[in-house]
Amino acid sequence: MAFLEVKGLKAFYRQVEALHGIDFEIEEGSIMTVLGANGAGKTTTLRAICRMVRTEGSIVFDGKDLTGMPTEKVVQLGIAHVPEGRGTFVRQSVEENLQLGAYTRNDKKEIEADIERVYEYFPRLRERQKQQAGTLSGGEQQMLAIGRALMLRPRLMLLDEPSFGLAPLIVKEIYEIMKRIREQEGTTMLLVEQNANIALNLADHAYLLETGDVVMSGESHVIRDDENVRKSYLGY
Amino acid sequence: MELFFQLTLAGLAIGSIYACVALAVVMIYQATDHFNFAQGEMAMFSTFIAFTFLTFGAPVWLAAVGAIAISFVAGLIIERVVIKPVENAPILNQIIVFIGMLMILNNMAGWIWEFTIKPFPSLFPSDWGVQSELIGPHHMGVIGLTLIVLFAIFLFFRFTRVGLAMRAAAANPDSARLVGVSVSWMLALGWGLAAGVGAIGGILVAPIVYLDPNMMSGVLLYAFAGALLGGVSSPFGAVMGGMIVGVLENWIGHPALSELLGFKMNELKLTFALMVIVIVLLFKPAGLFGRVVVKRV
Ligand SMILES: Nc1ncnc2c1ncn2[C@@H]1O[C@H](COP(=O)(O)OP(=O)(O)O)[C@@H](O)[C@H]1O
Ligand SMILES: [Mg+2]
């Protein structure tokens, strides 16, 4: 059985069905990306895993069925979510944001060490550690959101469009750090993106989502080389 | 000059009590965007619980601590049983729940303890502290105790893990859930704390206004005024606002001022206090200490 296995997943906003029964899986240690246009259901997929939207179907993580759990419980299993819009605690300091990421942990010493480690990945956050997080730039807030997720020592990291609204140079910087995180921590990642190009570079596997249905899946390089994908997602 | 200091200190004392109630109101407002209109009646009820302990012969401090502890638990339970079920109900329904709670608590207190006015002892004996012409022992104790309590609450929110989680849950519940905070329990805890702080306010004001089921109606009004003046988005502002309102009230209410102006200012003190607040809010809508959140996209 795969590390994360999703079967027949439907998701609903009130009566409206946003996912129409999708299947996918992720192997431990790998990076999987879900690509799709605006409104395809990418965010909803991540929300479904974190139990923030009503669903049908099964979501099994490391042998445990998540569908009956509240969000806090899912987090305790080691699933960290870098949400759409970054979810910054704007009035709290950068450091407090990181401490909140470790809320479910009790090992105070280790938490201190992990904050240090996040600062090593993102030196800009160290410079701003006492600053109110709402005053950070968009790129810095994205770094903070990833740092906050790392503070959980996640076994699975869900990332919702980390490139969204950022200048290409910043996007590149953030993706390089994600790559380093993958190499050093071996964290399994489920990455959702509209920016197919950059996501396919990082990910091992990819799924294409169109209005709530998976229309194609495979290894990243296969997807990248597909004629239709090139035309509609990569633009060349 | 001496009169001025006397009035100011007494104002600070009553203002500290407003500050407690204002803080309780703001703590809940921050987490839920609602004013708990029943906060005053909850405090009144807590004070009656302390009164009951007294009638059983408990020393006054023990009665107070016991009542505060019970209020904390009762606050938790009220959130779980009464507030949580209407969490997602339309705003009008929620307001009706608050008003209903106000009336129920008021009537229940009247039914259990009757509407007659009862004396309530001060936590501070009359030979307590520095004997001074400027301030009585009860007022001195009130200022001291509320400062300690408010400072302890500040430390709790600022430096503890749960305090941080409560702030996070109030400001950004979705993100808080995503780091594993149980937002719903943080809300309940907030209600418990608010009930406890409110109870302190009730127990401190009762020796001044005497104990009866309606004793908090004036206090709650001034506390609301203080919260608005200081800024409902800022607990610190609410505390300062409460203090300011207390001092203003005392200045304005003094007969000397009425004599000086040639009309009965005393009867207009609530009107005047509210006017000052309206004027302040016209120029500073977020209140004197209300923080405008810095946000960048
Ligand atoms: N809070 C919501 N209420 C109602 N419909 C929603 C909500 N969020 C998303 N949707 C709908 O669900 C579908 C998928 O949205 P979403 O998962 O946000 O897409 P993506 O993240 O791929 O842009 C869209 O049709 C969107 O309009
Ligand atoms: Mg989205």
Side-chain angles (χ1 to χ4, degrees):
Chain A
M1 193 175 217
F3 194 46
L4 178 75
E5 199 163 291
V6 171
K7 281 215 178 87
L9 180 66
K10 295 181 177 179
F12 304 88
Y13 293 102
R14 294 183 188 275
Q15 299 310 314
V16 184
E17 193 176 292
L19 296 176
H20 310 305
I22 61 172
D23 304 321
F24 63 87
E25 51 181 58
I26 308 174
E27 293 302 330
E28 187 157 15
S30 73
I31 298 185
M32 193 273 261
T33 182
V34 174
L35 305 174
N38 204 4
K42 304 182 296 298
T43 297
T44 306
T45 306
L46 299 190
R47 284 198 189 130
I49 297 170
C50 285
R51 312 314 305 144
M52 300 173 82
V53 58
R54 187 167 67 84
T55 63
E56 286 172 16
S58 79
I59 306 170
V60 179
F61 172 69
D62 196 25
K64 291 176 210 72
D65 185 2
L66 303 185
T67 49
M69 295 182 186
T71 303
E72 308 96 75
K73 203 66 186 288
V74 173
V75 175
Q76 279 168 19
L77 294 179
I79 299 183
H81 190 153
V82 179
E84 186 173 61
R86 298 155 198 150
T88 312
F89 296 101
V90 291
R91 273 169 69 163
Q92 276 64 51
S93 70
V94 166
E95 185 135 341
E96 284 176 328
N97 269 264
L98 294 178
Q99 271 158 358
L100 279 165
Y103 178 74
T104 53
R105 294 171 50 187
N106 286 316
D107 41 351
K108 218 166 169 226
K109 276 235 172 66
E110 300 279 294
I111 292 174
E112 292 297 316
D114 283 359
I115 289 183
E116 206 40 48
R117 213 150 56 143
V118 169
Y119 288 153
E120 272 158 33
Y121 282 121
F122 303 106
R124 291 214 229 170
L125 295 184
R126 189 201 303 277
E127 292 162 27
R128 298 181 176 10
Q129 52 182 298
K130 298 288 172 218
Q131 207 168 310
Q132 209 181 36
T135 64
L136 299 186
S137 73
E140 288 159 352
Q141 288 194 32
Q142 191 62 61
M143 295 175 186
L144 182 58
I146 296 173
R148 201 174 60 225
L150 282 178
M151 290 304 297
L152 182 67
R153 294 204 171 165
R155 304 179 61 209
L156 171 64
M157 218 161 139
L158 312 176
L159 296 123
D160 198 336
E161 300 203 43
S163 73
F164 188 82
L166 302 180
L169 261 175
I170 309 276
V171 173
K172 196 160 163 260
E173 185 181 341
I174 288 176
Y175 268 81
E176 262 156 27
I177 295 168
M178 281 163 60
K179 196 166 158 214
R180 264 180 55 211
I181 292 171
R182 188 253 177 97
E183 282 157 9
Q184 289 176 23
E185 326 276 334
T187 315
T188 314
M189 297 186 197
L190 168 46
L191 167 67
V192 148
E193 266 293 0
Q194 277 191 64
N195 189 335
N197 222 334
I198 192 143
L200 286 169
N201 266 329
L202 180 70
D204 309 303
H205 298 273
Y207 285 72
L208 285 192
L209 202 58
E210 263 174 28
T211 56
D213 281 304
V214 171
V215 292
M216 188 191 281
S217 66
E219 288 184 43
S220 293
H221 65 92
V222 178
I223 300 279
R224 191 176 15 215
D225 295 340
D226 185 275
E227 195 69 26
N228 293 324
V229 174
R230 276 234 297 260
K231 276 195 198 122
S232 43
Y233 288 91
L234 300 172
Y236 54 82
Chain B
M1 206 55 200
E2 191 176 318
L3 176 67
F4 174 77
F5 281 122
Q6 275 172 355
L7 285 177
T8 307
L9 285 171
L12 276 180
I14 193 83
S16 321
I17 295 169
Y18 298 158
C20 283
V21 180
L23 180 65
V25 167
V26 162
M27 273 188 335
I28 289 179
Y29 178 80
Q30 290 225 306
T32 62
D33 279 341
H34 291 309
F35 284 115
N36 178 10
F37 296 110
Q39 198 76 60
E41 304 311 283
M42 285 167 61
M44 172 275 295
F45 212 88
S46 306
T47 313
F48 268 111
I49 293 173
F51 174 80
T52 306
F53 284 143
L54 287 173
T55 58
F56 285 122
V60 63
W61 276 90
L62 190 66
V65 171
I68 292 163
I70 289 177
S71 306
F72 174 80
V73 176
L76 274 174
I77 293 173
I78 289 177
E79 199 281 336
R80 292 281 94 176
V81 177
V82 184
I83 305 300
K84 192 176 180 333
V86 295
E87 215 169 33
N88 299 315
I91 181 158
L92 205 56
N93 298 29
Q94 305 198 352
I95 290 175
I96 287 169
V97 167
F98 285 127
I99 307 262
M101 213 155 63
L102 185 160
M103 285 165 45
I104 291 170
L105 286 172
N106 188 289
N107 285 318
M108 239 164 69
W111 182 63
I112 301 174
W113 293 288
E114 297 173 353
F115 283 94
T116 53
I117 293 174
K118 298 174 178 63
F120 189 90
S122 169
L123 289 174
F124 312 99
S126 50
D127 57 358
W128 184 87
V130 209
Q131 297 294 316
S132 161
E133 296 285 295
L134 293 178
I135 182 169
H138 180 69
H139 282 172
M140 192 159 23
V142 167
I143 295 176
L145 183 68
T146 43
L147 284 182
I148 291 170
V149 167
L150 296 174
F151 190 60
I153 291 173
F154 166 77
L155 293 179
F156 168 75
F157 277 108
R158 185 72 182 71
F159 292 111
T160 70
R161 173 172 164 272
V162 176
L164 176 59
M166 285 179 74
R167 283 188 285 146
N172 195 341
D174 280 343
S175 278
R177 271 184 209 105
L178 288 179
V179 295
V181 174
S182 169
V183 171
S184 128
W185 274 106
M186 293 301 134
L187 274 184
L189 196 55
W191 270 80
L193 278 179
V197 177
I200 295 174
I203 287 166
L204 290 178
V205 84
I208 303 173
V209 302
Y210 296 103
L211 178 62
D212 84 291
N214 297 317
M215 73 168 191
M216 291 304 284
S217 53
V219 175
L220 187 68
L221 260 181
Y222 284 112
F224 270 134
L228 286 170
L229 178 67
V232 283
S233 60
S234 154
F236 173 75
V239 167
M240 294 308 289
M243 301 266 186
I244 293 170
V245 168
V247 171
L248 272 184
E249 182 206 356
N250 240 26
W251 284 347
I252 295 165
H254 195 268
L257 185 67
S258 303
E259 227 166 274
L260 194 74
L261 296 174
F263 63 96
K264 284 194 180 147
M265 209 46 196
N266 191 21
E267 285 167 11
L268 289 175
K269 64 180 186 181
L270 185 59
T271 319
F272 187 80
L274 293 177
M275 247 167 58
V276 170
I277 288 151
V278 169
I279 291 166
V280 169
L281 290 182
L282 276 177
F283 291 100
K284 285 200 74 157
L288 289 175
F289 303 89
R291 271 195 285 182
V292 179
V293 180
V294 218
K295 201 169 187 175
R296 249 158 88 171
V297 189

